[in-house]
Structures are given as structure tokens and as C-alpha cells.
Amino acid sequence: MQRMLTTLALSAWAGFSAVSAAGLLRETGLLTAPDGVAGFVAALPLPLPLGLAAPDAAAFAAILASLATGLGATLAWLHAAPRGNAERAEPIAASLLTAFFGLYVAASLSGSPLAGLFGEGPGFLFALALSFGALLFDHLVSIDDTGDREFDAAMRAIEAARRDALPRRERRHSSESDQG
């Protein structure tokens, strides 16, 4: 399966976004029913409540839900049938990861309680850097394999020439031994 690292990284970020958005909606009081999504979210060990005002929590939940939706669409596009889709989806994936970085920086620099969502220490930034690395690695590994096709064609031509040369050499050796 191609683009496995990118798929894993983007899936993790989509999950983080979706669960965080649901947690923020729970904090606003919009998810109050004990069953369904609210029950699932209530069971998650989230670092919530963060202490955001309800309108702020709803706005950040919308941003995170949008990121989760964008990541899901990008994953679908990465694995769509035509190969060219992946090359067009990669910049979108990088943009979505950059949006996470922007949200983190804005929350951290402004002193927003939302910064608590990203945890303490450099773990968030390390995970983000690994995700960019996965995207870059998968891109470099899947760059047009024209060189590989040319190498394979050259190896097939060498093998065909070797197969043709063996019978000629055998005929030449047998004719030399008949004369000698």
C-alpha cells in the first residue's frame, strides 16, 4: 500500500480533530444527551473542560471539525484511482497540517486556554514534525518511477541479448570443435 505513513499521520490528526471538536462541543453544552456522540465523548479522557467561553469553544470546535473533514477528504483523494490525485492532494494535506501549527501558535502566544488541548511540552510539535516528515517521505518515495521503468527495460534488453548470445556462442564453439 502506497502512502502508508501519510495515511497513518493524517488519520491520527483527523481523529484528534474530531474528538477534540466533540469535546469542545461538550464543553459548550451543545452535546448533552447521555447516549450517542455525547455519551462517547463523555467517556473519553480529554483534558477538558479547558475553561473557554461557550462561543469561543463552539468556534474552535467548528475549526477542528473543519480540519477533520478536510483531512478525511484529503485521505479519500490520496487513495482515489488516478495516480495524479495524490500529487494534487499532498499540498492540501500540508496546508491542513500547517493550519494545526497556526492554531497551536495562536493559542499558545495569546495565552488562550485552548493551548491546553495541545498538551504540555514539545510533544505536539514533535508529532506535527513527524507528520510533515511522513508526507515528505511518501512524496519522495512515490516520485515518478520513470527511472525505474527505464532501468527495468534496460535489464530486460540485457537479458534478451544474453539469451540470444548463448545459442550463437554454442554454435560457434561446436563449429570450431568440428573444424579442429
Side-chain angles (χ1 to χ4, degrees):
M1 179 177 182
Q2 287 188 356
R3 302 190 187 281
M4 187 170 19
L5 294 175
T6 298
T7 300
L8 178 65
L10 295 182
S11 296
W13 286 109
F16 170 78
S17 297
V19 169
S20 297
L24 287 170
L25 287 176
R26 180 184 71 189
E27 187 171 336
T28 65
L30 294 173
L31 289 178
T32 56
D35 57 346
V37 175
F40 171 74
V41 173
L44 293 174
L46 298 174
L48 298 174
L50 295 173
L52 290 166
D56 294 339
F60 288 128
I63 291 169
L64 289 166
S66 297
L67 286 170
T69 302
L71 288 164
T74 301
L75 282 166
W77 204 7
L78 275 170
H79 295 285
R83 183 172 179 193
N85 285 343
E87 283 76 22
R88 290 190 295 264
E90 287 172 343
I92 295 169
S95 298
L96 291 167
L97 292 175
T98 303
F100 274 112
F101 179 71
L103 187 61
Y104 167 78
V105 169
S108 296
L109 291 178
S110 68
S112 171
L114 181 68
L117 183 66
F118 304 109
E120 296 293 323
F124 175 81
L125 293 175
F126 185 69
L128 198 57
L130 286 176
S131 299
F132 275 109
L135 188 63
L136 178 63
F137 176 80
D138 281 346
H139 173 76
L140 292 175
V141 167
S142 67
I143 289 179
D144 187 23
D145 60 351
T146 304
D148 291 343
R149 283 181 277 158
E150 290 171 355
F151 176 76
D152 289 341
M155 293 306 291
R156 282 192 301 274
I158 291 169
E159 181 62 27
R162 187 185 66 78
R163 277 190 307 244
D164 289 345
L166 285 175
R168 281 185 287 183
R169 189 175 93 180
E170 291 298 320
R171 283 191 302 253
R172 188 176 64 215
H173 280 298
S174 63
S175 67
E176 288 175 358
S177 55
D178 288 343
Q179 292 176 358

